[in-house]
Amino acid sequence: MPSSRAESAPLTDAWKDWVGRTEQRTDMASAAPAAALAATLDREDPGLLPGSALPPLRHWLHFTPRARQSEIGQDGHEKRGGFLPPVPLPRRMWAGGSLQFDHPLRVDDEITRASRIVSIEGRQGRSGELVFVKLLHRIASAEGTAVTEEQDIVYRGMPVPGAPEPAPLAAPADEAFSREIRPDPVMLFRYSALTFNGHRIHYDRDYVMRVEGYPGLVVHGPLIATLLLDLVDRERPDARVHRFKFKAVRPLFDIHPFTVCGRSDGEGRLALWARDHQGYLAMQAEAELL
C-alpha cells in the first residue's frame, strides 16, 4: 500500500487554505431537546428546571445546521464548501472524537461554540481515497469553557464492487454491564430530528440501499456514543464524566439489535464498546470519571 505521506499531497493541497478556518455560533441551552432525547433513550428523567445541569453530550443537540433548503445536496447534507472544505468524495461520516467536560452546561444558559479546522489529511485506503478533517470545538457559557471537543470527520468514496473489505474485529466479551439496543426507523428519525441532521442514510431506506449500498438505515455514530454514556449513567448515576473518547469501527444498522457494553478499566476509568449482532466491534470508547 502506498504511504499516507505520498498520497496526502494530491488529496489535500486543494483544501490547505481551509486549515485554520474558524466559525462561532451562539445558542440557548433549552430543556426541551434534552427532554426529547431522554425519551428517545427510553429514560424517565425528572423535569429539567432553569439552572439544572445537562448531561454530557447534550451540546450536540444545539448549534444545529442552518443551511437553507436550496443549499442541501443529494445526500441531505449541506452542499460542500462553506466552513468545511468541499471534499468531493460522496460519503461523509463522523469517525470519532475526544471530549473533556470541565463543568456542566445548564438549562437556559447562553452558550457559544468556537470551532476551528485543525487539520486535513488525505490517505489511500484499500477501498480508495480517504480524507480526514479534524475539528476543535470549545463550548462555553458564562462560567467559562465547559466542553473541549476534538471531532474527526472522514470522507470516502463509494465501495468498489469486488474490493476486499477489512476483516471485522471481534468485540470484547468480558463486559461487567451491558444493555441491548433495538434500533428502528422511529429512533433514528427522532435523533435526526433532534440534531436537525438531514443525512438521508439515517431515514431514507431507498436512498441508503440504492445509492450508498448499505443494507439498512445507518445508526448515527453520535447516537451510539450517547448510548454508551447513557449506559454509564445507568450504572454509575453518582459519577461525573470528565473525559470521553470514542472511535467508530464498523457501522450499525436498524435491521439488527446491538449491545452497548462496559467494564472497569482501572481507578476512575471505564472501557466501553458497542458490539453488533454478530459479535463484531462497532465502536470503542473510554470514559474517565470523577
Side-chain angles (χ1 to χ4, degrees), residues 23 31 39 41 44 110 115 142 150 163 171 182 191 211 221 230 232 281:
E23 177 187 71
L41 299 177
E44 291 188 9
E110 182 178 279
S115 304
E150 287 189 349
R182 293 187 171 272
Y191 190 78
V211 177
D230 175 66
V232 173
L281 183 65

Side-chain angles (χ1 to χ4, degrees), residues 12 15 18-20 85 116-122 131-136 151-153:
T12 58
W15 312 301
W18 263 262
V19 176
R116 177 168 61 87
I117 298 178
V118 175
S119 64
I120 304 173
E121 179 186 0
V131 174
F132 292 85
V133 179
K134 183 179 288 291
L135 305 177
L136 176 65
Q151 179 186 2
D152 297 316
I153 298 173

Side-chain angles (χ1 to χ4, degrees), residues 80-103:
R80 305 301 169 89
F83 175 57
L84 290 173
V87 179
L89 299 175
R91 283 184 169 180
R92 187 175 93 185
M93 292 165 283
W94 193 334
S98 60
L99 303 99
Q100 177 170 308
F101 305 96
D102 290 318
H103 65 79

Side-chain angles (χ1 to χ4, degrees), residues 201-277:
I201 65 172
H202 303 303
Y203 60 86
D204 186 336
R205 193 175 304 276
D206 180 66
Y207 171 84
V208 75
M209 297 179 70
R210 180 176 55 83
V211 177
E212 299 219 11
Y214 289 116
L217 299 177
V218 180
V219 182
H220 313 65
L223 174 57
I224 302 169
T226 300
L227 285 162
L228 288 172
L229 279 194
D230 175 66
L231 178 68
V232 173
D233 184 65
R234 291 170 187 263
E235 294 295 323
R236 307 281 180 89
D238 296 327
R240 184 166 76 84
V241 177
H242 182 48
R243 292 188 177 92
F244 177 60
K245 183 176 183 179
F246 69 98
K247 179 182 179 182
V249 177
R250 181 178 173 86
L252 295 170
F253 305 99
D254 74 319
I255 54 178
H256 297 293
F258 63 92
T259 307
V260 288
C261 310
R263 60 168 170 78
S264 176
D265 194 30
E267 185 66 28
R269 300 178 67 87
L270 296 175
L272 304 166
W273 62 95
R275 184 172 59 222
D276 74 9
H277 69 292

Side-chain angles (χ1 to χ4, degrees), residues 31-43:
L37 179 59
T40 304
L41 299 177
D42 205 21
R43 299 180 59 96

